[in-house]
Amino acid sequence: MCPLFAEHGDRLTSRQIAQAAGVAEGTIFRVFADKDELLAAALEVVLDPEPFERALSGIDPELPFERRLVEATELIRQRVVDVWQVVSQLHGKLRAQATRPATDSDMLTAIFATERHRLRMEPPAAARLLRALTLSLAHPMLVGEPVDAEEIVEIVLHGIER
């Protein structure tokens, strides 16, 4: 993720971008028609699920199921924070562009599919549940102190009973 974009959002200047990239400001506008087009492209990079999916695919499949879910939950938590840092800085059209439903995660679903026999719901639904719970327990605007990944996985797998 671009730290400048996370810090400044749509107030980021083309001069700041050029300095960070080590290029002349005019070089940027050979690729992008204007600042709005540049920021829209940067936002698409932030929202792109592919790096998240790649990170999930890097979780060792030999780990115990719960450990794989904890590692996945850590990745989800980090993505929530990273995306929120950027989106919270946006206004107008860019903020509207950022508000869209999350797509299902094939890699997270695959982790659940390895233990389908232990689940009372289908793997895609279990993956959505883990993502939704993690979002609500990790989002800086929804919870004062984020809940750790182990606790989230415990709740998903075993509920809140003692």
Side-chain angles (χ1 to χ4, degrees), residues 34-91:
D34 56 27
K35 180 181 156 188
D36 288 342
E37 186 178 301
L38 170 64
L39 292 177
L43 179 60
E44 287 306 313
V45 169
V46 170
L47 298 176
D48 181 7
E50 186 53 38
F52 172 69
E53 290 293 306
R54 233 184 353 267
L56 286 172
S57 72
I59 295 173
D60 183 354
E62 299 300 316
L63 290 173
F65 179 51
E66 288 83 358
R67 186 76 230 152
R68 286 181 283 145
L69 290 179
V70 167
E71 289 192 18
T73 301
E74 289 292 350
L75 292 170
I76 297 166
R77 287 179 66 197
Q78 188 59 54
R79 180 156 171 83
V80 167
V81 171
D82 290 348
V83 169
W84 180 80
Q85 285 179 328
V86 170
V87 173
S88 68
Q89 297 288 331
L90 301 178
H91 303 91

Side-chain angles (χ1 to χ4, degrees), residues 80-133:
V80 167
V81 171
D82 290 348
V83 169
W84 180 80
Q85 285 179 328
V86 170
V87 173
S88 68
Q89 297 288 331
L90 301 178
H91 303 91
K93 288 191 303 186
L94 278 178
R95 178 164 278 200
Q97 182 180 337
T99 55
R100 55 184 154 192
T103 58
D104 283 346
S105 167
D106 293 337
M107 295 309 302
L108 187 57
T109 298
I111 292 171
F112 279 103
T114 65
E115 300 291 325
R116 173 177 270 139
H117 64 280
R118 294 177 57 182
L119 306 176
R120 63 180 179 163
M121 61 179 56
E122 290 300 312
R128 278 185 228 112
L129 178 66
L130 179 62
R131 284 180 74 181
L133 187 60

Side-chain angles (χ1 to χ4, degrees), residues 141-153:
M141 294 300 292
L142 299 178
V143 64
E145 186 67 31
V147 176
D148 68 33
E150 288 86 2
E151 182 70 16
I152 294 169
V153 170

